[in-house]
Amino acid sequence: EEERDNDQELEEVTRSNNLVIGGWFRSFVSQTQKELKAVDDALIAIGMEKPNEKPKEDQRLSQLISIIERDLRQGKEWKSRERLIVFTEYKTTLDYLENALKEKYPENGNIQILYGGMKSEDREKIKSAFNDPNSSARILIGTDAASEGLNLQETAYRLLHFDIPWNPSRLEQRNGRLDRHGQSRDVIVYHFTSNDSSDLKFLARVVEKVNQIREDLGLVGQVFDRSFQRVFEDEGDRNAEIAIQELEGLGKEVQDFKSKMNLDVLNFEAKANDFYNVNSWFEKKADLTEKAIQETFLEAIANQNSNKENVLKLDTDSDIYRIQTSQLNSDWKTSISNSLGNELGSIPAIAFNANAFIKIEDGREVYRPRRDTVLMHLGHPLLRKAMGYFSRLRYPDKDGYFHRRWTVTQSTAPKEFSDAEFTIFVTTEEIAYNELRETLHNWVRTTAIVVKGEKELSRYEWDASMGNTQPILGETEKKNMVEKAKDIWGSWEEVVQKFLKVEEENISSKIESYLRDELKKSKEFEKETYDSRIKELQKTIELNTTEKRKKELEDMRKSLSQLALFDEVTRDDKRNIQDLEEEIKRTQQQYRNLITYLKSEKNRVLEEIVPKRYKLSDLVKVYPVGIEISFHRGEK
């Protein structure tokens, strides 16, 4: 009964076990003639009196063919958008179905199979064919061993459980091959049921319960597996009707579990809105828009190639770009080839927006990966290379030269300060460490200081949504503005330095206040965690280890008293009792040592680690990253 991921290996083991059991069973043949005759009569009744003969009638196969004819075919042709996955428990069943369906539908490629132990390249080829809407594949027969990690939701939405697994989690795993993100249609799951077969009737009820609990809770395992195991753990021959009655008792457990989970839909929606708002705020503050990411990528290339105008070429799709590698130096060409090159041997297109991968299918938005296009997310090697370039600019090069950290631009004045002459944008990086030298806080922000003449009109935190500054065009105007900015900086440099000092104190004060609250919460959490572990360990010692061993010891002592007449046996038993007593002592001592260690760790964590983790090692450091002086033109 051991689970294996190789169906062929499992069949070999089963065949070997049958031979061993058959050899052992020979001595009981004369006592079981009645039972053997009943089996023979049943095989004759279904037309399988000869070895390896097919049954005259197979109701489940007939039902499968009916489903295929009704839902997948139209006359003698296959419907273009219909596919079916058939899951079996055993590869023997898979082989039987494959032969039967290929005999019924001999067209090449319509019937595909997947089983545990296939070569990875064959598995991927079949999976790709079944996910390809243009392929001839229409029915995929697979075993449970082949179902793990299989994504088939792109073209199929019909699934049949030819055999219903006894493990409900396995049933759920099968359904998950189709019922997952990217599925554009409602998944239809077929299973057999019967009023004549008690086992099949019970398993059909299992399927219904799985669906009910999944709809109620969104999961199956925690409630269903525990109850299902309880139904069968002691009595394998339990009457199916009784088992069904016990299965109905799941209803109360489901309701109890729901109440514990506190599934408040309104509260969930509120939290979802909060998450959306925080995400939007973060995107705005950090300027993580599609346009900003694209500009960052192009600027890094331009600074290292002296040309960014022709690097990206817009493809026919408005969200897709092609990189013109002929415009790049060898370093960038190598990086692009290494990170974008694929099995097709060509450089795929790139997109800065996930919308390029969203398709409308059956009225639903679904995400569809594209082999010819790569999403340039923040973690992509090319974007990391671009960001690494800008990060290095903060430090002197090998000749000790610092790259400029200030710039002069032009922009419109804020609406409420239309008469302002210029704004000084101060970009800073904030870093804070705790006493364990762990990073507590790391943030980059830009503060806008709005100025008229020598008077500061306003100071506020600026983000990209407030408008974009533009470079100054024209060499003469640029030169004049730069000289003017130098004079302005001479007057405002001290103001900015004082601002940085005040920022360090203010941010440190806010973080310290936050850490005091978190320290209290963390101490309570760690204390509860350690106390809980210690109690669990003490309970384990008491219930599972000591009592069990003591019972074994008592049994051995009783056995010793019964066998006192045999000296040789008595000596062995005495030795076994002594060994068991020593093992009990060792085990108890090990658990006592572990409890002592946990108590020591609890004190160390609560008294040393947690206090240091929630305490600043020094004031928050606020480093100037860049200064931008923007001269105003007109109103916003």
Side-chain angles (χ1 to χ4, degrees):
E1 294 302 318
E2 183 179 325
E3 289 191 8
R4 300 171 187 268
D5 57 7
N6 189 318
D7 288 304
Q8 292 171 315
E9 178 186 337
L10 179 61
E11 284 196 343
E12 289 297 326
V13 171
T14 304
R15 192 176 296 114
S16 175
N17 289 345
N18 288 342
L19 289 173
V20 172
I21 294 169
W24 168 83
F25 192 70
R26 284 180 183 275
S27 59
F28 298 96
V29 169
S30 60
Q31 302 172 36
T32 55
Q33 286 300 312
K34 181 181 177 182
E35 288 80 4
L36 288 173
K37 185 178 184 305
V39 173
D40 289 337
D41 291 344
L43 290 172
I44 292 170
I46 61 174
M48 294 184 66
E49 60 267 28
K50 297 179 182 179
N52 301 321
E53 190 168 3
K54 295 179 183 178
K56 293 178 182 177
E57 182 180 354
D58 184 339
Q59 187 61 31
R60 289 196 296 169
L61 178 61
S62 299
Q63 287 293 327
L64 170 57
I65 292 174
S66 297
I67 291 171
I68 294 171
E69 291 293 326
R70 184 190 69 209
D71 297 329
L72 274 68
R73 290 175 66 84
Q74 191 162 6
K76 295 184 178 181
E77 300 294 328
W78 294 96
K79 295 180 182 178
S80 60
R81 295 196 63 210
E82 298 296 339
R83 282 169 167 76
L84 174 68
I85 300 175
V86 180
F87 274 115
T88 70
E89 191 86 21
Y90 308 103
K91 186 176 181 297
T92 306
T93 312
L94 180 147
D95 294 336
Y96 166 66
L97 290 178
E98 180 190 14
N99 293 330
L101 292 180
K102 283 186 175 179
E103 185 178 324
K104 175 74 175 175
Y105 307 106
E107 301 97 326
N108 186 36
N110 295 144
I111 313 299
Q112 301 283 346
I113 61 169
L114 271 178
Y115 56 86
M118 291 182 70
K119 293 181 179 179
S120 58
E121 55 266 31
D122 293 337
R123 176 187 170 93
E124 287 302 314
K125 191 182 297 182
I126 292 169
K127 189 174 84 170
S128 298
F130 197 76
N131 272 327
D132 183 0
N134 298 317
S135 79
S136 60
R138 288 297 180 271
I139 299 170
L140 178 66
I141 312 169
T143 63
D144 286 319
S147 69
E148 294 185 22
L150 201 61
N151 300 328
L152 300 170
Q153 74 276 18
E154 293 188 25
T155 58
Y157 68 101
R158 298 180 187 274
L159 183 148
L160 167 67
H161 298 290
F162 196 85
D163 303 314
I164 299 176
W166 289 97
N167 186 340
S169 290
R170 187 64 63 82
L171 187 73
E172 188 71 355
Q173 186 182 63
R174 290 178 177 182
N175 295 343
R177 301 309 96 209
L178 296 182
D179 193 6
R180 60 196 301 117
H181 291 298
Q183 177 59 260
S184 63
R185 293 178 282 186
D186 293 332
V187 175
I188 298 174
V189 178
Y190 305 92
H191 64 85
F192 298 111
T193 185
S194 171
N195 291 325
D196 297 330
S197 169
S198 296
D199 282 348
L200 196 57
K201 183 179 179 182
F202 172 73
L203 288 175
R205 193 72 186 98
V206 168
V207 176
E208 293 175 16
K209 274 293 177 185
V210 167
N211 290 333
Q212 175 196 325
I213 294 174
R214 192 162 185 257
E215 289 178 6
D216 287 346
L217 302 179
L219 50 82
V220 173
Q222 293 186 40
V223 175
F224 199 93
D225 276 355
R226 186 172 65 249
S227 301
F228 189 81
Q229 182 181 358
R230 191 172 63 242
V231 170
F232 286 99
E233 64 185 356
D234 294 324
E235 300 178 47
D237 59 350
R238 178 188 296 263
N239 181 279
E241 293 297 331
I242 297 175
I244 289 175
Q245 293 174 12
E246 296 196 11
L247 199 61
E248 299 304 322
L250 273 176
K252 185 177 184 305
E253 291 196 40
V254 170
Q255 294 302 321
D256 292 344
F257 196 74
K258 285 177 69 176
S259 62
K260 288 178 183 177
M261 291 178 68
N262 192 24
L263 293 178
D264 185 343
V265 176
L266 294 177
N267 187 42
F268 174 79
E269 290 179 351
K271 288 182 178 179
N273 288 332
D274 288 343
F275 174 80
Y276 175 79
N277 292 335
V278 169
N279 195 49
S280 300
W281 173 87
F282 181 83
E283 183 181 90
K284 183 173 67 174
K285 291 292 182 185
D287 199 14
L288 296 177
T289 60
E290 172 194 350
K291 183 179 180 182
I293 294 174
Q294 181 178 334
E295 287 180 350
T296 300
F297 180 67
L298 286 175
E299 284 295 335
I301 290 179
N303 277 276
Q304 293 177 286
N305 292 272
S306 302
N307 180 14
K308 69 173 182 179
E309 298 302 324
N310 300 314
V311 170
L312 291 185
K313 182 181 178 182
L314 192 64
D315 207 8
T316 52
D317 191 322
S318 60
D319 291 318
I320 304 298
Y321 296 86
R322 296 279 175 184
I323 299 179
Q324 308 302 302
T325 54
S326 60
Q327 305 291 325
L328 306 178
N329 62 27
S330 58
D331 179 44
W332 271 96
K333 283 182 181 178
T334 301
S335 297
I336 288 171
S337 176
N338 290 340
S339 61
L340 292 183
N342 58 25
E343 69 276 9
L344 300 178
S346 59
I347 302 299
I350 63 174
F352 296 91
N353 193 320
N355 289 336
F357 303 89
I358 301 297
K359 292 185 176 181
I360 305 297
E361 294 184 4
D362 302 295
R364 294 179 180 175
E365 287 187 351
V366 291
Y367 182 87
R368 289 282 182 259
R370 297 171 56 153
R371 296 180 67 193
D372 63 342
T373 307
V374 175
L375 177 64
M376 299 299 290
H377 53 82
L378 288 177
H380 194 279
L382 290 182
L383 271 183
R384 292 175 66 178
K385 178 180 175 67
M387 296 301 295
Y389 166 75
F390 288 113
S391 181
R392 289 192 298 275
L393 293 184
R394 300 162 55 197
Y395 305 99
D397 59 20
K398 61 182 180 180
D399 299 320
Y401 173 73
F402 272 97
H403 293 270
R404 290 174 295 181
R405 293 192 187 178
W406 68 283
T407 186
V408 181
T409 60
Q410 59 185 1
S411 63
T412 54
K415 185 176 181 181
E416 56 269 45
F417 303 106
S418 57
D419 57 343
E421 295 177 12
F422 60 88
T423 296
I424 302 174
F425 294 100
V426 183
T427 300
T428 56
E429 181 177 7
E430 305 159 8
I431 302 178
Y433 300 97
N434 61 22
E435 291 192 346
L436 297 175
R437 299 307 298 165
E438 298 169 338
T439 304
L440 279 177
H441 173 76
N442 191 3
W443 189 250
V444 175
R445 77 176 79 231
T446 298
T447 302
I449 303 174
V450 184
V451 179
K452 179 181 180 181
E454 297 183 359
K455 181 181 179 183
E456 180 179 330
L457 301 180
S458 178
R459 183 181 298 180
Y460 58 90
E461 188 175 339
W462 183 88
D463 62 57
S465 66
M466 296 179 178
N468 294 316
T469 57
Q470 301 294 328
I472 298 171
L473 303 177
E475 289 302 317
T476 302
E477 185 181 18
K478 186 185 297 182
K479 185 176 180 180
N480 292 337
M481 289 295 186
V482 167
E483 292 303 318
K484 188 176 179 181
K486 288 180 180 179
D487 293 336
I488 290 172
W489 182 244
S491 303
W492 287 88
E493 181 179 5
E494 187 176 346
V495 174
V496 172
Q497 288 177 342
K498 288 181 179 178
F499 158 73
L500 296 178
K501 188 66 177 175
V502 172
E503 280 290 278
E504 286 186 348
E505 294 173 353
N506 289 341
I507 296 171
S508 297
S509 177
K510 290 178 181 177
I511 290 179
E512 284 174 343
S513 175
Y514 169 79
L515 291 178
R516 281 193 294 270
D517 294 337
E518 290 301 306
L519 173 61
K520 184 178 178 181
K521 294 177 185 176
S522 181
K523 277 192 169 185
E524 291 174 355
F525 173 77
E526 294 291 347
K527 184 178 181 301
E528 288 177 4
T529 301
Y530 275 100
D531 288 344
S532 174
R533 289 174 182 171
I534 291 170
K535 286 180 181 177
E536 287 175 5
L537 194 55
Q538 289 171 335
K539 189 174 181 180
T540 301
I541 295 173
E542 181 182 347
L543 297 180
N544 298 335
T545 307
T546 308
E547 293 301 322
K548 184 177 179 182
R549 297 281 168 80
K550 283 182 178 178
K551 187 176 184 303
E552 291 177 12
L553 191 58
E554 289 301 320
D555 291 342
M556 292 183 73
R557 283 175 176 155
K558 287 179 182 178
S559 175
L560 177 61
S561 64
Q562 293 169 0
L563 300 172
L565 294 175
F566 305 96
D567 294 339
E568 219 172 287
V569 176
T570 301
R571 283 196 296 271
D572 289 340
D573 280 352
K574 282 182 177 179
R575 191 176 298 111
N576 290 336
I577 289 174
Q578 186 178 357
D579 291 344
L580 188 56
E581 287 175 337
E582 290 176 359
E583 185 180 351
I584 291 173
K585 289 178 181 178
R586 283 197 304 271
T587 304
Q588 288 176 332
Q589 186 59 46
Q590 287 173 355
Y591 278 113
R592 281 195 291 268
N593 291 342
L594 185 54
I595 290 173
T596 301
Y597 171 76
L598 284 176
K599 288 180 178 178
S600 173
E601 276 297 288
K602 172 186 169 184
N603 292 333
R604 188 178 73 88
V605 169
L606 293 179
E607 301 301 325
E608 297 179 30
I609 303 298
V610 174
K612 289 182 179 180
R613 176 160 287 142
Y614 291 92
K615 186 177 181 181
L616 284 175
S617 63
D618 198 353
L619 285 178
V620 176
K621 300 300 180 183
V622 179
Y623 299 105
V625 174
I627 300 293
E628 177 181 340
I629 298 177
S630 186
F631 294 97
H632 297 319
R633 293 183 173 180
E635 294 186 2
K636 188 175 181 180

